[in-house]
Coordinates of all heavy atoms in Angstrom, one line a residue:
V46 N 22.2 336.2 -183.2 CA 22.6 337.3 -182.4 C 23.0 336.8 -181.0 O 24.1 337.1 -180.5 CB 21.6 338.4 -182.3 CG1 22.0 339.5 -181.3 CG2 21.2 339.0 -183.6
Q47 N 22.2 336.0 -180.4 CA 22.4 335.5 -179.0 C 21.8 334.1 -178.8 O 20.7 334.0 -178.3 CB 21.9 336.5 -178.0 CG 22.2 336.2 -176.5 CD 21.7 337.2 -175.6 OE1 21.1 338.2 -175.9 NE2 21.7 336.9 -174.3
P48 N 22.5 333.1 -179.1 CA 21.9 331.7 -179.0 C 21.8 331.3 -177.5 O 20.9 330.4 -177.3 CB 22.9 330.9 -179.7 CG 24.2 331.6 -179.7 CD 23.9 333.1 -179.7
F49 N 22.6 331.8 -176.6 CA 22.5 331.3 -175.2 C 22.2 332.5 -174.3 O 22.6 333.6 -174.6 CB 23.9 330.7 -174.8 CG 24.3 329.5 -175.7 CD1 25.2 329.7 -176.7 CD2 23.8 328.3 -175.5 CE1 25.6 328.7 -177.6 CE2 24.1 327.2 -176.4 CZ 25.1 327.4 -177.4
G50 N 21.5 332.2 -173.2 CA 21.2 333.2 -172.3 C 20.2 334.2 -172.8 O 20.1 335.4 -172.4
N51 N 19.4 333.8 -173.8 CA 18.4 334.7 -174.5 C 17.0 334.3 -174.0 O 16.6 333.2 -174.4 CB 18.6 334.6 -176.0 CG 17.8 335.6 -176.7 OD1 16.8 336.1 -176.2 ND2 18.2 335.9 -178.0
P52 N 16.3 335.1 -173.2 CA 15.0 334.7 -172.8 C 14.0 334.6 -173.9 O 13.0 333.9 -173.7 CB 14.6 335.9 -171.8 CG 15.5 337.0 -172.2 CD 16.7 336.4 -172.7
R53 N 14.3 335.2 -175.1 CA 13.3 335.1 -176.2 C 13.6 333.8 -177.0 O 12.9 333.5 -178.0 CB 13.5 336.3 -177.1 CG 13.0 337.6 -176.4 CD 13.1 338.8 -177.4 NE 14.5 339.1 -177.7 CZ 15.3 339.8 -177.0 NH1 14.9 340.3 -175.9 NH2 16.5 340.0 -177.4
L54 N 14.6 333.1 -176.6 CA 15.0 331.9 -177.4 C 15.0 330.6 -176.6 O 14.5 329.6 -177.1 CB 16.4 332.1 -177.9 CG 16.9 331.2 -179.1 CD1 16.0 331.4 -180.3 CD2 18.4 331.5 -179.4
Q55 N 15.4 330.6 -175.4 CA 15.5 329.4 -174.5 C 16.2 328.3 -175.2 O 15.5 327.4 -175.8 CB 14.1 329.1 -174.0 CG 13.4 330.1 -173.1 CD 12.2 329.5 -172.4 OE1 12.2 328.4 -171.9 NE2 11.1 330.3 -172.5
T56 N 17.5 328.2 -175.1 CA 18.2 327.2 -175.7 C 18.6 326.1 -174.7 O 19.0 326.4 -173.6 CB 19.5 327.7 -176.3 OG1 19.2 328.6 -177.4 CG2 20.4 326.6 -176.9
H57 N 18.4 324.8 -175.1 CA 18.6 323.7 -174.2 C 19.6 322.7 -174.9 O 19.7 322.7 -176.1 CB 17.4 322.9 -173.9 CG 16.2 323.7 -173.3 ND1 15.9 323.7 -172.0 CD2 15.4 324.6 -173.9 CE1 14.9 324.6 -171.8 NE2 14.6 325.1 -173.0
A58 N 20.3 322.0 -174.1 CA 21.1 320.9 -174.7 C 20.2 319.7 -175.0 O 19.3 319.4 -174.3 CB 22.2 320.5 -173.7
V59 N 20.6 318.9 -176.0 CA 19.8 317.7 -176.4 C 20.6 316.5 -175.8 O 21.7 316.3 -176.2 CB 19.6 317.6 -177.9 CG1 18.8 316.3 -178.2 CG2 18.9 318.8 -178.5
K60 N 20.0 315.8 -174.9 CA 20.7 314.8 -174.1 C 21.3 313.7 -175.0 O 22.5 313.5 -174.9 CB 19.7 314.2 -173.1 CG 19.3 315.0 -172.0 CD 18.4 314.2 -171.0 CE 17.9 315.0 -169.9 NZ 17.0 314.2 -169.0
R61 N 20.5 313.1 -175.8 CA 21.0 311.8 -176.4 C 21.5 312.0 -177.8 O 21.6 311.0 -178.6 CB 19.8 310.8 -176.4 CG 19.4 310.4 -174.9 CD 18.2 309.6 -174.9 NE 18.3 308.3 -175.6 CZ 17.4 307.4 -175.8 NH1 16.2 307.7 -175.3 NH2 17.6 306.3 -176.4
A62 N 21.7 313.2 -178.2 CA 22.3 313.5 -179.5 C 23.8 313.7 -179.5 O 24.4 313.6 -178.4 CB 21.6 314.8 -180.1
Q63 N 24.4 314.0 -180.6 CA 25.8 314.2 -180.6 C 26.2 315.4 -179.7 O 25.3 316.3 -179.5 CB 26.3 314.6 -182.1 CG 26.8 313.4 -182.9 CD 27.4 313.9 -184.1 OE1 26.9 314.7 -184.9 NE2 28.6 313.3 -184.4
P64 N 27.4 315.5 -179.1 CA 27.8 316.6 -178.3 C 27.6 317.9 -179.1 O 27.8 317.9 -180.3 CB 29.3 316.3 -178.0 CG 29.4 314.8 -178.1 CD 28.4 314.4 -179.2
D65 N 27.4 319.0 -178.4 CA 27.2 320.3 -179.0 C 26.0 320.4 -179.8 O 25.9 321.2 -180.8 CB 28.5 320.7 -179.8 CG 29.3 321.7 -179.0 OD1 29.1 321.9 -177.8 OD2 30.1 322.4 -179.6
T66 N 24.9 319.6 -179.5 CA 23.6 319.7 -180.2 C 22.7 320.4 -179.3 O 22.5 320.0 -178.1 CB 23.1 318.3 -180.7 OG1 24.1 317.7 -181.5 CG2 21.8 318.4 -181.4
F67 N 21.9 321.4 -179.8 CA 21.1 322.2 -179.0 C 19.7 322.3 -179.6 O 19.5 322.0 -180.8 CB 21.6 323.5 -178.8 CG 23.0 323.5 -178.2 CD1 24.1 323.7 -179.0 CD2 23.2 323.4 -176.8 CE1 25.4 323.6 -178.4 CE2 24.5 323.4 -176.2 CZ 25.6 323.5 -177.1
T68 N 18.7 322.6 -178.8 CA 17.4 322.9 -179.2 C 16.9 324.3 -178.7 O 17.3 324.7 -177.6 CB 16.3 321.9 -178.7 OG1 15.0 322.2 -179.2 CG2 16.3 321.8 -177.2
S69 N 16.2 325.0 -179.6 CA 15.8 326.4 -179.2 C 14.3 326.5 -179.5 O 13.8 325.9 -180.5 CB 16.5 327.4 -180.0 OG 17.9 327.4 -179.8
Y70 N 13.6 327.2 -178.6 CA 12.1 327.4 -178.8 C 11.8 328.2 -180.1 O 12.6 329.1 -180.4 CB 11.6 328.1 -177.6 CG 11.3 327.3 -176.4 CD1 12.1 326.2 -176.1 CD2 10.3 327.6 -175.5 CE1 11.9 325.4 -175.0 CE2 10.1 326.9 -174.3 CZ 10.9 325.8 -174.1 OH 10.7 325.0 -173.0
V71 N 10.8 327.8 -180.7 CA 10.3 328.6 -181.9 C 9.0 329.2 -181.6 O 8.8 330.4 -181.8 CB 10.2 327.7 -183.2 CG1 9.6 328.5 -184.3 CG2 11.6 327.1 -183.5
T72 N 8.0 328.5 -181.1 CA 6.8 329.1 -180.7 C 6.4 328.5 -179.3 O 7.0 327.6 -178.8 CB 5.6 328.7 -181.7 OG1 5.4 327.3 -181.6 CG2 6.0 329.1 -183.1
N73 N 5.3 329.0 -178.7 CA 4.8 328.5 -177.5 C 4.0 327.3 -177.7 O 3.5 326.7 -176.7 CB 4.1 329.6 -176.7 CG 4.9 330.7 -176.3 OD1 6.1 330.5 -176.0 ND2 4.4 331.9 -176.3
Q74 N 3.8 326.9 -178.9 CA 2.9 325.7 -179.2 C 3.8 324.4 -179.3 O 3.3 323.4 -179.8 CB 2.1 325.9 -180.5 CG 1.0 326.8 -180.4 CD 1.4 328.3 -180.3 OE1 2.3 328.7 -181.0 NE2 0.8 329.0 -179.3
G75 N 5.0 324.5 -178.9 CA 5.8 323.2 -178.9 C 6.7 323.0 -180.0 O 7.3 321.9 -180.1
H76 N 6.9 324.0 -180.9 CA 7.8 323.8 -182.0 C 9.3 324.0 -181.6 O 9.5 324.9 -180.8 CB 7.5 324.7 -183.2 CG 6.2 324.4 -183.8 ND1 5.0 325.0 -183.4 CD2 5.9 323.6 -184.9 CE1 4.0 324.5 -184.2 NE2 4.5 323.7 -185.0
R77 N 10.2 323.2 -182.1 CA 11.6 323.3 -181.7 C 12.5 323.3 -182.9 O 12.2 322.7 -183.9 CB 12.0 322.1 -180.8 CG 11.2 322.1 -179.5 CD 11.6 323.2 -178.5 NE 11.0 323.0 -177.2 CZ 9.8 323.5 -176.9 NH1 9.1 324.2 -177.8 NH2 9.3 323.4 -175.7
L78 N 13.6 324.1 -182.7 CA 14.7 324.1 -183.7 C 15.9 323.3 -183.2 O 16.3 323.6 -182.1 CB 15.1 325.5 -184.0 CG 16.3 325.7 -184.9 CD1 16.1 325.3 -186.3 CD2 16.7 327.2 -184.9
I79 N 16.3 322.3 -183.9 CA 17.5 321.6 -183.5 C 18.7 322.0 -184.3 O 18.6 322.0 -185.5 CB 17.3 320.0 -183.6 CG1 16.0 319.6 -182.9 CG2 18.5 319.3 -183.2 CD1 16.1 319.5 -181.4
W80 N 19.8 322.3 -183.6 CA 21.0 322.7 -184.4 C 22.3 322.2 -183.7 O 22.3 321.9 -182.5 CB 21.0 324.3 -184.5 CG 20.9 325.0 -183.2 CD1 19.8 325.2 -182.5 CD2 22.0 325.7 -182.5 NE1 20.1 326.0 -181.3 CE2 21.5 326.3 -181.3 CE3 23.4 325.8 -182.7 CZ2 22.2 327.0 -180.4 CZ3 24.2 326.5 -181.8 CH2 23.6 327.1 -180.7
R81 N 23.3 322.2 -184.5 CA 24.6 321.7 -184.0 C 25.6 322.8 -184.1 O 25.7 323.5 -185.1 CB 25.1 320.5 -184.9 CG 26.5 320.0 -184.6 CD 26.6 319.2 -183.4 NE 28.0 318.9 -183.0 CZ 28.8 318.0 -183.5 NH1 28.3 317.2 -184.4 NH2 30.0 317.8 -183.1
R82 N 26.4 323.1 -183.0 CA 27.4 324.1 -183.0 C 28.7 323.6 -183.5 O 29.2 322.6 -183.0 CB 27.5 324.6 -181.5 CG 28.6 325.8 -181.4 CD 28.7 326.3 -180.0 NE 29.1 325.3 -179.1 CZ 29.4 325.5 -177.8 NH1 29.4 326.7 -177.3 NH2 29.8 324.5 -177.0
V83 N 29.3 324.3 -184.5 CA 30.6 324.0 -185.0 C 31.3 325.3 -185.0 O 31.2 326.1 -185.9 CB 30.6 323.4 -186.4 CG1 32.0 323.1 -186.8 CG2 29.7 322.1 -186.3
G84 N 32.1 325.6 -184.0 CA 32.7 326.9 -183.9 C 31.7 328.0 -183.7 O 30.8 327.9 -182.8
K85 N 31.7 329.0 -184.6 CA 30.7 330.1 -184.6 C 29.7 329.9 -185.7 O 29.2 330.8 -186.3 CB 31.4 331.4 -184.7 CG 32.0 331.9 -183.4 CD 30.9 332.1 -182.3 CE 31.5 332.6 -181.0 NZ 30.4 332.8 -180.0
V86 N 29.4 328.6 -186.0 CA 28.4 328.3 -187.0 C 27.3 327.4 -186.4 O 27.6 326.5 -185.7 CB 29.0 327.6 -188.2 CG1 28.0 327.1 -189.2 CG2 30.1 328.5 -188.9
A87 N 26.1 327.7 -186.7 CA 24.9 326.9 -186.2 C 24.5 326.1 -187.5 O 24.0 326.6 -188.4 CB 23.8 327.7 -185.7
V88 N 24.7 324.8 -187.4 CA 24.3 323.9 -188.5 C 22.8 323.5 -188.2 O 22.6 322.8 -187.2 CB 25.2 322.7 -188.6 CG1 24.7 321.7 -189.7 CG2 26.6 323.1 -188.8
L89 N 21.9 323.9 -189.0 CA 20.5 323.7 -188.7 C 20.1 322.3 -189.2 O 20.2 322.0 -190.4 CB 19.6 324.8 -189.4 CG 20.1 326.2 -189.1 CD1 19.2 327.2 -189.9 CD2 20.0 326.5 -187.6
L90 N 19.5 321.5 -188.3 CA 19.3 320.1 -188.6 C 17.8 319.8 -188.7 O 17.3 319.2 -189.6 CB 19.9 319.2 -187.5 CG 21.4 319.2 -187.4 CD1 21.8 318.4 -186.2 CD2 22.0 318.7 -188.7
L91 N 17.0 320.3 -187.7 CA 15.6 319.9 -187.7 C 14.7 321.0 -187.2 O 15.1 321.9 -186.5 CB 15.4 318.7 -186.7 CG 16.1 317.4 -187.0 CD1 16.2 316.5 -185.8 CD2 15.5 316.7 -188.2
F92 N 13.5 321.0 -187.6 CA 12.5 321.9 -187.1 C 11.1 321.2 -187.2 O 10.7 320.6 -188.1 CB 12.4 323.2 -188.0 CG 11.2 324.0 -187.8 CD1 11.0 324.6 -186.6 CD2 10.3 324.2 -188.8 CE1 9.9 325.4 -186.4 CE2 9.1 325.0 -188.6 CZ 9.0 325.6 -187.4
G93 N 10.4 321.3 -186.0 CA 9.1 320.7 -186.0 C 8.5 320.6 -184.6 O 9.0 321.3 -183.7

């Protein structure tokens, strides 16, 4: 619904990965979702 500017998600850029790769918060215990933006598609890469 809202990958950016969403206080319930907190999306950050991943510095040393391919361009347009982002990480989003999953829980407050440090889990992260890593995904790659291709147009209006989120390619889900990693979770942990």
Side-chain angles (χ1 to χ4, degrees):
V46 177
Q47 186 181 350
F49 303 99
N51 186 337
R53 294 182 295 276
L54 196 61
Q55 293 194 47
T56 296
H57 307 253
V59 180
K60 289 181 181 179
R61 297 172 62 183
Q63 268 192 313
D65 255 16
T66 300
F67 303 97
T68 177
S69 299
Y70 280 30
V71 175
T72 68
N73 292 329
Q74 285 74 44
H76 294 89
R77 298 290 186 270
L78 170 69
I79 305 285
W80 55 282
R81 173 79 189 276
R82 180 178 62 170
V83 180
K85 282 296 181 180
V86 175
V88 180
L89 307 179
L90 295 174
L91 297 164
F92 166 64

